Amino acid sequence: MKEEVQLLIDLQELDQHIISGRKKQEKLREEQNELTVNTDKLTALIAQLDGEIATIEAERSEINQSLLKEQDNIEKSEAHLPEIKTQKEYLAMLKEVDVAKKQTKDLQEILQDRDAALATIKEDRDEKQQELDNLQSTSNSRCSEINDLLTEIDESLVSEDTKRAALIEQVPPRIRQRYELLLKRRNGSALVEARRGNCLGCNMHLPPQFFNNMLKKQGIDSCPHCNRLLFVMPEGE
Ligand SMILES: [Zn+2]
């Protein structure tokens, strides 16, 4: 096989390795992003629930204050009852106490309602926190695994890029440009074998005369259908 053909075969093999390394990195980064997005979502949800809890707790303490005030009023009013002289005043005071008691009962009901709501939200929050803790522990270990893999791929990409630079320098400029272009356009398959009269890139049949010439020349040609660079294996290989 001609040196030029072997050179291109080696170059493309290396390029495909480089391309697959980059794709792997991309996938790993996507996975890492997804993990972060999920933990961020849960963190935001927990913060929202914390906000709701704080609001309800503030409401509760306000209701409690009102409740204490009402109870205080009732106690004071009831303490005054024996001192009242007239029937009219007495009835008015009793009515006042009744209203305050009714008010107290209403406040207690609201308080119970708030307590129930608080318990539900707290339970929900604890569940989400548990979920986040679990996610974070798996996500942290997976993220560090991914970081190791990314570093590993980075290191091999650096050495492959060096190898590539040395190889591409040896490729004749007329082929080099076409190779680079095809590599991009044909998703890493710039060079393919022509076998039994077919291009193995596009699977189209090559004109017999063209293929016979290729067998004779044993060099690099272009597929008349897909434009990929073509080579033939020497007979018997
Ligand atoms: Zn082709």
Side-chain angles (χ1 to χ4, degrees):
M1 188 182 288
K2 280 193 180 169
E3 205 180 312
E4 181 182 271
V5 177
Q6 188 58 56
L7 184 63
L8 278 172
I9 291 174
D10 293 345
L11 179 63
Q12 172 155 284
E13 199 180 308
L14 184 63
D15 272 331
Q16 282 173 345
H17 205 258
I18 291 172
I19 291 168
S20 98
R22 295 217 170 100
K23 275 187 189 155
K24 255 186 233 162
Q25 280 191 321
E26 218 172 285
K27 269 198 167 170
L28 288 168
R29 289 199 182 102
E30 270 170 29
E31 191 187 336
Q32 223 169 20
N33 275 345
E34 214 170 293
L35 288 171
T36 321
V37 165
N38 287 341
T39 51
D40 285 354
K41 265 190 206 160
L42 267 177
T43 308
L45 190 56
I46 289 169
Q48 190 195 320
L49 291 173
D50 279 340
E52 286 173 28
I53 289 170
T55 307
I56 296 178
E57 273 171 351
E59 280 170 10
R60 266 184 93 253
S61 100
E62 230 172 272
I63 297 167
N64 256 329
Q65 290 293 326
S66 309
L67 202 53
L68 285 175
K69 225 167 125 190
E70 289 299 336
Q71 280 164 342
D72 194 41
N73 284 344
I74 294 168
E75 271 173 39
K76 276 182 191 155
S77 300
E78 280 176 338
H80 278 303
L81 278 177
E83 301 159 17
I84 291 172
K85 304 281 187 297
T86 69
Q87 178 78 358
K88 200 180 160 194
E89 264 182 292
Y90 190 81
L91 286 174
M93 185 63 92
L94 272 187
K95 200 181 173 196
E96 216 174 277
V97 169
D98 266 358
V99 170
K101 278 185 176 167
K102 168 83 174 54
Q103 186 72 12
T104 305
K105 206 175 155 247
D106 286 350
L107 285 170
Q108 272 165 342
E109 269 169 23
I110 295 173
L111 201 60
Q112 271 173 8
D113 195 51
R114 300 285 76 195
D115 280 346
L118 196 61
T120 309
I121 294 178
K122 277 187 172 167
E123 203 181 311
D124 193 18
R125 191 224 177 270
D126 288 347
E127 255 173 48
K128 293 285 179 288
Q129 183 65 54
Q130 188 63 47
E131 216 177 292
L132 180 64
D133 291 345
N134 292 342
L135 187 66
Q136 252 161 354
S137 78
T138 53
S139 153
N140 284 348
S141 65
R142 181 61 187 150
C143 276
S144 86
E145 234 174 63
I146 290 176
N147 278 336
D148 289 348
L149 288 170
L150 285 174
T151 312
E152 212 175 280
I153 298 172
D154 262 338
E155 279 165 7
S156 55
L157 280 175
V158 167
S159 83
E160 280 164 357
D161 279 342
T162 315
K163 264 190 224 162
R164 182 183 205 275
L167 279 183
I168 198 88
E169 215 174 274
Q170 298 169 56
V171 177
R174 69 189 155 82
I175 299 179
R176 190 189 304 172
Q177 241 178 351
R178 296 211 35 225
Y179 173 84
E180 298 276 32
L181 196 68
L182 283 162
L183 195 70
K184 275 188 205 134
R185 287 204 185 145
R186 298 289 181 188
N187 203 17
S189 148
L191 174 79
V192 291
E193 191 190 337
R195 196 189 293 167
R196 291 195 196 97
N198 290 312
C199 162
L200 294 191
C202 63
N203 292 315
M204 297 280 278
H205 196 65
L206 299 163
Q209 188 59 39
F210 176 89
F211 184 64
N212 284 337
N213 275 340
M214 281 200 73
L215 285 173
K216 254 185 254 163
K217 281 196 303 180
Q218 295 284 324
I220 295 291
D221 257 296
S222 288
C223 171
H225 308 292
C226 69
N227 260 327
R228 286 185 180 89
L229 296 169
L230 285 177
F231 70 95
V232 279
M233 295 300 276
E235 306 250 335
E237 278 185 36

